[in-house]
Amino acid sequence: MFLVSNLFPTYNKKQINFTKGKGSYLYDSKNKKYLDFLSGIAVCNLGHCHPKVVSALREQIDSLWHVSNLFSIEKQEELAELLLENFKDGFVFYCNSGTEANEAAIKLAKKYTRKPHIISFKQSFHGRTFGSMAATGQPKIHEGYGEMLNGFTYVPYNDIEALQAEITEDTGAIILEIIQGEGGVIVGDEDFFKSIEALCKKHELLLVIDEVQTGIGRTGSMFAYEQTPLKPDIISLAKGLGNGFPIGAILGKKKLASAFSLGSHGSTFGGNYLAVTSAYETIKIIKDNLFLESVKNKGNYLVERLLEIQNEFQTILDVRGKGLMIGIEMNTQVDQLVDLFLESGLIVGTAGPNVIRLLPPLNISFEEIDEAIEIVKLGFSTYFVGVESNK
């Protein structure tokens, strides 16, 4: 099974075929049960097959799927109202993915400012199209593709002096993640963000915040920037926005509307009926203040339990993150540990070679967190005892 594939080998796929998902769990073709602490890489923020989202999608499937953006789609407007309750004085553009959202954000920033230079950060990740890839501060993402799109400079994250040194008359914008997900779950400093906000005001720079992974409640607020002093001009969204149905979006201040005028950008499938229906139901649930507070509480509890494990294993260097976006930094590579957890029925991710990334559904229960912790503890004990015995 799966030995021969007609797919390009762009992913190192695990040889598991999932056939069913419900809540925080996935089931494979042999009906083995897995606790999902990856959520499709921060996508299924309400878990798998949430009944309210499923019900809304079923109803929409039976009525209408697609007509194109040449016509008004009422649900687009309803979703935009929900999104803009937090991001005041803005407009929305719909697309299909995080990469597309960041591509749109880059285009909007460049077209509005008429300036060629955008500052990004080392170890950032913004996507895999040429614009979003050029904004990404990781050489491994650029390798083999020749010359990148001009105009991007990468500075160390949390280093305000390095950032300030790169600002010139040609600089139009700064793009950043509140927490660098792919870069290792690196959390931005409060003072760093304060200084960025001051620099943007001083030099009249647009601030673009990539909320593709951190947005839609992942860190305990609707958008992660709301827990910082930052006031973005543009934010990009995707992943958790549709709870598994592909949809991306940018929110931009109304002052930018002249740069995205008639015919200046587009998306054939962006904001189609199924996508906005899924997103609307998802956002209605997540944006509730009690729900968001519960994400913070569960995140704090998860970190506390992980710190208990850290006290037992010196191989754990750090436990960090916000809400239910957690990184466990090790002094060793983590691939074998991740596979060991998988064998025991726990799905986790990685963020670089030595960071385990935890992204459980936001509506996960405390009991399910405890279940995951027991698997992690057993995995660490089994793996490191085995490593010691093999020396």
Side-chain angles (χ1 to χ4, degrees):
M1 189 176 180
F2 299 120
L3 294 179
V4 178
S5 176
N6 293 313
L7 306 178
F8 277 109
T10 54
Y11 294 95
N12 184 20
K13 292 177 180 284
K14 307 294 185 185
Q15 299 303 302
I16 299 173
N17 179 30
F18 292 116
T19 58
K20 184 175 67 172
K22 185 175 182 181
S24 301
Y25 294 94
L26 285 167
Y27 301 81
D28 68 15
S29 55
K30 299 177 182 178
N31 208 35
K32 181 178 177 178
K33 185 179 180 181
Y34 299 80
L35 181 56
D36 188 0
F37 262 54
L38 186 57
S39 304
I41 317 180
V43 167
C44 298
N45 283 6
L46 294 176
H48 299 282
C49 298
H50 190 282
K52 288 187 177 180
V53 180
V54 169
S55 177
L57 274 172
R58 281 179 174 160
E59 184 178 344
Q60 188 61 54
I61 283 171
D62 286 335
S63 58
L64 189 59
W65 293 21
H66 179 79
V67 297
S68 88
N69 284 303
L70 299 177
F71 300 91
S72 299
I73 298 174
E74 185 177 354
K75 190 66 75 175
Q76 287 186 356
E77 298 290 349
E78 293 174 359
L79 175 59
E81 284 186 19
L82 284 183
L83 292 172
L84 293 171
E85 284 178 8
N86 292 65
F87 187 89
K88 306 293 185 183
D89 187 40
F91 285 132
V92 179
F93 175 86
Y94 295 113
C95 51
N96 308 286
S97 69
T99 289
E100 288 183 37
N102 282 326
E103 194 77 18
I106 292 164
K107 287 179 67 175
L108 179 56
K110 279 182 168 286
K111 196 163 186 286
Y112 179 79
T113 64
R114 301 289 178 178
K115 292 186 176 182
H117 184 221
I118 295 177
I119 299 175
S120 179
F121 294 89
K122 293 181 179 180
Q123 294 306 116
S124 61
F125 182 81
H126 299 293
R128 295 184 183 272
T129 52
F130 261 94
S132 59
M133 184 166 61
T136 295
Q138 297 191 50
K140 69 179 182 180
I141 303 298
H142 303 163
E143 288 174 4
Y145 293 102
E147 185 178 354
M148 289 292 102
L149 182 70
N150 292 331
F152 289 93
T153 299
Y154 318 109
V155 300
Y157 196 62
N158 281 325
D159 187 337
I160 197 64
E161 291 182 1
L163 170 62
Q164 191 167 4
E166 293 296 333
I167 297 173
T168 71
E169 292 182 356
D170 289 329
T171 306
I174 296 171
I175 183 169
L176 62 83
E177 302 156 277
I178 302 299
I179 302 175
Q180 291 188 322
E182 300 292 331
V185 193
I186 307 300
V187 182
D189 295 335
E190 183 80 0
D191 288 343
F192 178 61
F193 292 143
K194 286 181 181 177
S195 298
I196 286 177
E197 183 64 24
L199 286 174
C200 286
K201 287 182 179 178
K202 178 180 178 181
H203 298 281
E204 297 184 338
L205 307 177
L206 290 186
L207 179 59
V208 181
I209 297 184
D210 181 341
E211 291 264 13
V212 169
Q213 189 166 155
T214 56
I216 319 302
R218 175 55 57 184
T219 66
S221 53
M222 188 61 183
F223 308 126
Y225 82 82
E226 294 175 293
Q227 300 179 50
T228 77
L230 297 172
K231 297 178 177 60
D233 298 287
I234 304 168
I235 65 173
S236 55
L237 303 171
K239 287 191 179 290
L241 181 56
N243 204 57
F245 201 99
I247 180 172
I250 62 166
L251 314 186
K253 292 301 182 183
K254 287 183 177 179
K255 68 181 182 181
L256 308 178
S258 60
F260 260 16
S261 56
L262 185 65
S264 58
H265 194 50
S267 173
T268 296
F269 298 106
N272 68 75
Y273 284 88
L274 299 179
V276 292
T277 294
S278 182
Y280 181 78
E281 295 302 320
T282 299
I283 297 301
K284 277 203 307 182
I285 295 167
I286 290 177
K287 76 186 313 296
D288 178 78
N289 288 333
L290 290 177
F291 184 96
L292 293 170
E293 189 64 27
S294 77
V295 174
K296 292 180 181 178
N297 293 336
K298 292 170 189 174
N300 291 336
Y301 180 72
L302 176 56
V303 168
E304 288 173 6
R305 297 301 313 274
L306 291 171
L307 290 175
E308 293 172 6
I309 298 175
Q310 184 181 15
N311 289 333
E312 297 181 34
F313 296 93
Q314 294 182 348
T315 51
I316 300 177
L317 301 178
D318 193 18
V319 176
R320 57 178 179 258
K322 278 189 177 182
L324 288 170
M325 183 176 179
I326 307 297
I328 307 170
E329 184 179 358
M330 309 290 297
N331 67 0
T332 182
Q333 294 195 353
V334 299
D335 285 348
Q336 289 181 310
L337 263 174
V338 170
D339 288 341
L340 189 60
F341 295 154
L342 188 62
E343 290 173 12
S344 301
L346 176 66
I347 303 169
V348 301
T350 61
N354 68 326
V355 177
I356 297 169
R357 181 166 38 162
L358 305 181
L359 299 163
L362 305 185
N363 54 354
I364 194 152
S365 68
F366 286 98
E367 292 77 14
E368 289 165 341
I369 292 174
D370 287 337
E371 180 184 346
I373 288 294
E374 291 307 309
I375 295 174
V376 170
K377 287 172 67 175
L378 179 60
F380 273 108
S381 298
T382 302
Y383 179 73
F384 289 110
V385 169
V387 168
E388 290 298 321
S389 65
N390 290 330
K391 286 183 178 179

